[in-house]
Each structure stands twice: as C-alpha cells, then as structure tokens.
Amino acid sequence: MESDYLDLYHPRILELDKHPYHFKKCVEEPILIANNPFCGDRFKLFDKSPNKDYAALFFYGHGCAVSKASTSLLVELFEQKGLTGIRELADQFAKFIYKETDHCAEDKLLIFENVRNHPSRLDCALLGWNELLKKLH
Amino acid sequence: MNLKSHFPIFDTHPELVYLDSAATTQKPRNVIKAITDFYESSYSNVSRGMYKLSTDATQKLRDCRQKVATLIGAESSQDIAFTYGATDAINKVAYGYFKPKLTAGHNIIVTTMEHHANLLPWQKLCKESDTELRVVRLLANGNLDLEHLVELMNEHTMLVAVTHISNVLGIVNPIEQINKLAHEKDIPVIIDAAQSISTHTLNAIDLDIDFLVFSGHKMFAPTGIGALYVNPKYQAAFDPHFVGGGMIESASFFETVYQDYPQVLEPGTPNIAGVFGLGAAIDFMDDHSIYSQYDRLELLTQDLRSSLSNYDRIQVLGDSTNSMNIVSFEIEGIHPHDIAYFLAGKNICIRAGHHCAEPLLNSLEISAVARVSLSVYNEHRDIELLLEALKACINYFE
Ligand SMILES: Cc1ncc(COP(=O)(O)O)c(C=O)c1O
C-alpha cells in the first residue's frame, strides 16, 4: 500500500518541490492566480519581461510537492513556448492526466505519469495549467 | 475496556489508524444495526400512518427526540428540532429566527476561530440586512480574547455565535462564561457544539443555553442528521425559511398557520433512519459512559501535542494547556497534503487543508495545516504509529 501511495512522488517532483524554477515573490500584478479552494493551494504567476511577452515568468505561493513541481514546469515551459504553445500543451497535458490519451507531448511532464493513478491528486498536477486554460487567451 | 471492538470498520481494516474523527467519527455496531433493522424489518413513514409499522416508527422518532433532549439536559423533547446537521441547524436559526429581526444598525458577533458553518450564514445575513459583522480576536496563545468580546458587545448586538471547540485549534471555549457575559447585556448566544458533543457533557439549563447545534456524524451517528436546541423563550418567534408538508396547523390556498417549534422547522419527510441512528448513537454513548473518557482523551491529546512539539521542524498550533482531541501542525518544508498522503500510505488517516476555517488560517498567516483528531477508539499505540510515520515522512521529503 505504501509504495502505491509514494509512487506519486517521482524523484524529479521532489527535487522541483525543493528547488523550483523562478520561484520568487514579485510586486507586479499577477497574470494568473491558480487557486484550489478545497485544499488552499495557491500560486501566483508574474510576468517580469519588459515587453510583457511572457519571456521572464516567475511564480510564488503555497502548494503541495505535486502542484509546486507542476507549476514550476508550467513557468519554465511557458517562457519557452509562448502563449499559443503553452495553451496547446496545457490542453494536451490535461488530457494526459485525465487518461484521455497516453501520449504526453512534453517529456519533462512525464514525471507526472503516476499521478494519473492517484485520483485525489489530479488537481494538484493541473492546478496552474487548468487556470491558464480558463483565464489566459 | 476497549471501545474499538464496537466499531466494525476496525474488523474490516485491522491496520487502520483513524485520526480524522473531527471530520467524522466511525460508527459503532449498534448504530449500523439500528439503521439496517429499520430498513429490513420496520420501515415505514412516520406521522401519517394508521398501521403498526408506522405508529411504531412514529413512537420511536419521539423517543429519539427525548434521547437528544436528555443528552443535552433540555427540559423537554419539544426543545429539540431535527436538522440535517450543524450547518443546516445554524442556517435555520439564521433565516428562521434572526433574519426577520435584523435591520441596519444592528450587529452580530462571531469569533476568529469559527468553522465556515458558523460564519458564512451570519456573514450572508449581515450583508442582506445591512447589519455589521464583528469578529472577536484571538490572544497570542489562540484562545478567544474575551475582553475584546466585551468591547464588541453593545445594545445593538443581536447575537454572539461561537464554537465550543475549534475544529482547527482544538481549543475549548469557556461557553458558560461567554453566555454569562452576553446575557448580562441580554444578548443571545448560539453555540456550535459540532466538535464537543462527543466529549463534553452539556446541560442546556445549567449553562443557560439559547441556541445549540450539532451534527450526528461527529458523535457516532450517520451523516444527514443533526439537532438544534432552542431555549423555550425563543421558540415562538420562528418564521420558517423552508415550508411544506408536516408542519402546519391549517392551510388554505392563500394562508397557512404553522405548527409550533420544533415542527415549524421540520417540513417534509424527516431522515427517519438518521434519527434512529442518532438515537442508537446516544444509547452507545450512555452504555459506554463516553463522557467519562474525557480525562483519557485529554491526556492523549496532551501527549500527542508534546511529542509533536519535540520535533524541531514541527510547529503545533493552539494552546497546550487548553486543547481537546484536535491537534493541528505544520512541518517546515513539507506541505500538509504531502504529509497526509505519506501517512495514508501507512494506513494512517489524518486531514490536511484549511478545514473550512480559511479566515482563521489567514489570521495565523498559514494556508493549510495537517490535523490529527482523536476519538474514543484511539489508543496510545495510534499516537506511536503516527509519530513513527512522521519521522519517516520528514526523512522522505528531506
Ligand atoms: C466546529 C464545526 N462546526 C460546524 C461543522 C459543520 O458540520 P456539518 O458539516 O456536519 O454540518 C463542523 C464540521 O466539520 C465543525 O467542525
């Protein structure tokens, strides 16, 4: 039973929990607030790029290891792919997490493969991604 | 005496370490049996039948009302209304009793440590009635600042709403003293006994209680049933929010005369099996002198608190000298959900999150905590297993 639970935590998830990418409190207005009212997880995304083109993104807040790691990757991949690219990926990643497809379009997100078998943690993996799909156009 | 043996869940899951009784308690065998017996051999609707099944069920429902009255020292079974739970009961008081009385200039007082169930109905009502919502502060040790309560009360205060035990901090509030302070100014008090009904002997008359609510499922009864006590001096003034069958003296197309309290708050077919389950839960509490477990559980709570406090990285919330059954904590660097999930892998059930007390957590500047809560089936061994698992958890996330 124990290993079933703990296979959720890919070593890279634990690493990102401790050392997330661009994790910093910012003074700017957040471009996105990802909030899970059931558990209190809450991350804010900030765009610090001069042209506001998502080239320098940061995030800050509280969340579990899974939501923090996944938001960290969201920020990193968002910078690389821009808005259109990240929206496409978010859509595809949600389908992957909900087991609507077994194809994961981005290798870095494969660390969340086991999350798919933990129904109570799907929202953790998708916290920032789902908010992005709803709010950023 | 080992009360655990009365709870079949532990036969099904012998390894289970259940430390989430503040969310809901497990059910003893006699409660489960009362419900299945009703459905298997004596099921019918109440109040409206001439046949034996129905008259028996009606009588049994009456008996259960009396059991609730006796449990909380009410004068009469007619002081008790059945509700779907504490939330439902508070909303019934808010909309059935207070709403018609509130106008601009009035105020209602709640405390920082209320569960959303005893905050949101008052907040909403205040907004709708242009009434001020006032919030009693906590002292640094987490206890209510009673001097602040006194400062907040004035001639326009319509109600003080307070929980008996905080579902996050485990702090036990001095409800007798709060009642006295409020009553000196003729202000009624509603007491949310959701967390205390299974630990504290409550006597509505001795404590001079105005309104008291609790849920069955936190005192060994099923979900979907709860109770409301209303002091006789307030009973006549209810204007029901929900209306329908079973609550009228007479009805025509354009006018209705309602029955008195409690029927006026009980439209529709009641949760009969739930009521019988609640009655059986009270029998269980009587038969096993559940309130005499108080000292044992208080010691267990203190033990748990002090053991957790021994860890450098663990921060325990609340007041070590005033705490019952509930211990919330944070571990530096590990999110409460990850703690709860790690423990789940070891068959240990705790809860993580804001525990429906988001304003309280905000006031403490935390977003989520891990909460361990105890009940009569817990033993020292459960605490030992928890502590062992927490050690492993800290290592794992290191
Ligand atoms: C202190 C307190 N009040 C009220 C409630 C609401 O109870 P219910 O959800 O059964 O209505 C709870 C439940 O957690 C509670 O802990």
Side-chain angles (χ1 to χ4, degrees):
Chain A
M1 189 163 176
E2 178 168 350
S3 60
D4 291 355
Y5 275 82
L6 293 188
D7 77 7
L8 174 77
Y9 298 107
H10 188 286
R12 180 78 186 131
I13 294 183
L14 295 176
E15 212 175 298
L16 283 171
D17 178 36
K18 292 274 173 288
H19 307 289
Y21 176 77
H22 279 192
F23 186 72
K24 192 170 90 171
K25 204 171 192 163
C26 302
V27 291
E28 287 86 355
E29 271 295 295
I31 55 166
L32 202 71
I33 299 175
N35 184 30
N36 183 338
F38 289 107
C39 61
D41 283 9
R42 191 178 166 91
F43 289 112
K44 292 181 178 176
L45 248 69
F46 306 93
D47 185 1
K48 282 178 91 72
S49 57
N51 301 330
K52 299 289 166 226
D53 55 2
Y54 313 115
L57 294 169
F58 289 79
F59 80 114
Y60 195 75
H62 309 275
C64 64
V66 177
S67 68
K68 197 166 177 186
S70 111
T71 311
S72 173
L73 278 168
L74 167 68
V75 166
E76 189 185 329
L77 293 164
F78 197 167
E79 282 182 351
Q80 292 167 17
K81 293 177 186 296
L83 186 57
T84 316
I86 199 71
R87 283 187 59 83
E88 259 168 45
L89 183 59
D91 198 41
Q92 208 281 327
F93 182 47
K95 290 196 171 92
F96 174 66
I97 291 294
Y98 292 136
K99 284 192 175 170
E100 288 167 26
T101 171
D102 288 330
H103 171 67
C104 183
E106 167 60 54
D107 284 354
K108 282 183 176 169
L109 295 176
L110 276 170
I111 60 172
F112 300 104
E113 187 165 18
N114 286 345
V115 176
R116 308 190 321 154
N117 301 323
H118 296 259
S120 67
R121 303 302 294 265
L122 302 182
D123 287 345
C124 310
L126 291 172
L127 180 66
W129 299 84
N130 274 345
E131 198 58 27
L132 180 124
L133 282 174
K134 272 191 271 171
K135 295 282 159 61
L136 283 191
H137 298 286
Chain B
M1 182 189 33
N2 189 351
L3 286 172
K4 207 168 183 170
S5 62
H6 295 276
F7 293 81
I9 190 101
F10 299 112
D11 297 337
T12 317
H13 304 282
E15 302 291 307
L16 187 68
V17 179
Y18 188 74
L19 296 169
D20 195 21
S21 295
T24 196
T25 58
Q26 294 296 342
K27 310 306 165 205
R29 194 168 280 107
N30 77 310
V31 167
I32 299 167
K33 187 167 181 304
I35 298 164
T36 46
D37 277 358
F38 174 54
Y39 283 121
E40 282 179 7
S41 46
S42 52
Y43 185 74
S44 96
N45 207 336
V46 287
S47 304
R48 289 152 242 194
M50 295 293 132
Y51 51 93
K52 187 166 178 347
L53 281 177
S54 182
T55 52
D56 283 356
T58 306
Q59 183 55 44
K60 201 161 168 193
L61 192 117
R62 263 189 222 123
D63 295 345
C64 289
R65 206 187 289 277
Q66 182 57 53
K67 283 180 192 177
V68 176
T70 307
L71 178 78
I72 60 163
E75 206 172 314
S76 155
S77 64
Q78 293 304 298
D79 300 339
I80 308 298
F82 288 120
T83 68
Y84 296 109
T87 305
D88 180 42
I90 295 167
N91 276 278
K92 285 192 156 114
V93 175
Y95 284 88
Y97 185 85
F98 284 97
K99 178 151 182 148
K101 294 181 179 49
L102 294 180
T103 56
H106 284 146
N107 67 72
I108 283 179
I109 299 176
V110 297
T111 85
T112 303
M113 64 169 83
E114 296 314 308
H115 186 280
H116 292 169
N118 201 27
L119 167 63
L120 271 54
W122 307 118
Q123 179 196 80
K124 186 166 185 292
L125 201 55
C126 283
K127 285 199 172 143
E128 289 166 6
S129 320
D130 221 358
T131 294
E132 187 191 349
L133 188 70
R134 299 181 167 189
V135 185
V136 183
R137 280 191 303 254
L138 304 188
L139 299 168
N141 62 8
N143 286 286
L144 285 181
D145 182 345
L146 293 184
E147 284 176 19
H148 190 223
L149 167 66
V150 172
E151 274 169 41
L152 293 180
M153 289 190 292
N154 66 12
E155 68 274 26
H156 304 299
T157 305
M158 296 297 280
L159 173 73
V160 173
V162 63
T163 187
H164 190 185
I165 298 185
S166 158
N167 69 310
V168 176
L169 305 171
I171 281 177
V172 186
N173 288 320
I175 50 168
E176 190 168 5
Q177 194 184 351
I178 292 169
N179 268 350
K180 275 205 185 100
L181 291 170
H183 292 168
E184 277 166 16
K185 300 188 175 170
D186 285 328
I187 301 167
V189 178
I190 183 165
I191 293 166
D192 173 358
Q195 293 297 345
S196 62
I197 191 68
S198 65
T199 56
H200 284 68
T201 313
L202 292 164
N203 190 296
I205 295 170
D206 293 351
L207 293 170
D208 197 12
I209 289 174
D210 302 307
F211 301 92
L212 181 116
V213 305
F214 60 87
S215 293
H217 71 96
K218 293 184 203 280
M219 51 165 286
F220 317 111
T223 52
I225 186 70
L228 163 66
Y229 165 83
V230 175
N231 189 301
K233 67 183 171 213
Y234 300 110
Q235 290 174 6
F238 271 90
D239 187 21
H241 189 53
F242 289 107
V243 293
M247 60 178 298
I248 58 133
E249 281 295 335
S250 64
S252 70
F253 277 114
F254 303 105
E255 288 304 329
T256 297
V257 180
Y258 301 114
Q259 286 184 38
D260 291 338
Y261 177 92
Q263 281 73 26
V264 68
L265 292 186
E266 297 178 351
T269 303
N271 177 3
I272 309 167
V275 171
F276 295 176
L278 181 62
I282 295 171
D283 291 343
F284 172 80
M285 289 170 71
D286 281 347
D287 293 349
H288 300 283
S289 312
I290 290 303
Y291 291 135
S292 71
Q293 295 266 325
Y294 186 94
D295 290 346
R296 184 183 78 84
L297 286 170
E298 195 182 29
L299 266 180
L300 210 55
T301 312
Q302 278 170 10
D303 234 38
L304 169 61
R305 284 189 69 96
S306 58
S307 308
L308 288 172
S309 306
N310 284 337
Y311 291 75
D312 287 345
R313 287 177 54 189
I314 297 187
Q315 175 85 24
V316 184
L317 270 58
D319 178 6
S320 58
T321 63
N322 174 20
S323 149
M324 187 61 185
N325 273 355
I326 294 170
V327 179
S328 292
F329 61 96
E330 294 180 285
I331 304 181
E332 190 196 321
I334 312 177
H335 193 275
H337 279 106
D338 296 319
I339 302 170
Y341 215 65
F342 184 91
L343 296 179
K346 294 185 178 296
N347 277 313
I348 301 175
C349 311
I350 70 158
R351 194 156 286 257
H354 54 51
H355 310 286
C356 293
E358 210 175 322
L360 168 64
L361 291 207
N362 287 341
S363 80
L364 301 170
E365 296 181 357
I366 39 188
S367 62
V369 284
R371 180 184 74 185
V372 174
S373 52
L374 307 171
S375 187
V376 295
Y377 32 71
N378 290 120
E379 291 157 353
H380 209 269
R381 178 80 190 131
D382 296 327
I383 309 275
E384 285 163 19
L385 290 168
L386 171 76
L387 293 169
E388 248 169 60
L390 283 175
K391 244 184 236 163
C393 175
I394 290 172
N395 284 336
Y396 181 82
F397 287 101
E398 196 76 290

